[in-house]
Amino acid sequence: MSKKVITLKEFAQELTQRLNNGKTVDCCKEELINLAKIVEKKLPDEKIEVMWKD
């Protein structure tokens, strides 16, 4: 594993690919938290449809 800086677009594409291929996203927990913080600050009113699993 190597640390590198990528664009949000690249991260979204990699994440989408991992999810579509049935891979886990456990490796990206910290990155997903960072992404959530960016979304909270820069896209606070953007809407998304979700289906939460409890």
Side-chain angles (χ1 to χ4, degrees):
M1 196 180 314
S2 63
K3 191 173 194 176
K4 61 183 175 177
V5 177
I6 60 174
T7 66
L8 291 179
K9 181 178 180 177
E10 291 170 317
F11 180 65
Q13 290 171 339
E14 176 65 26
L15 186 60
T16 300
Q17 183 179 11
R18 290 185 69 82
L19 290 168
N20 285 335
N21 291 336
K23 293 182 180 178
T24 67
V25 292
D26 295 344
C27 64
C28 305
K29 182 177 179 179
E30 185 177 331
E31 290 82 357
L32 288 169
I33 291 170
N34 290 338
L35 177 61
K37 289 176 185 177
I38 292 169
V39 169
E40 186 177 0
K41 287 180 183 179
K42 296 192 177 202
L43 302 171
D45 298 318
E46 191 68 31
K47 302 286 185 194
I48 185 172
E49 185 175 334
V50 297
M51 294 182 62
W52 295 113
K53 293 183 181 180
D54 295 330

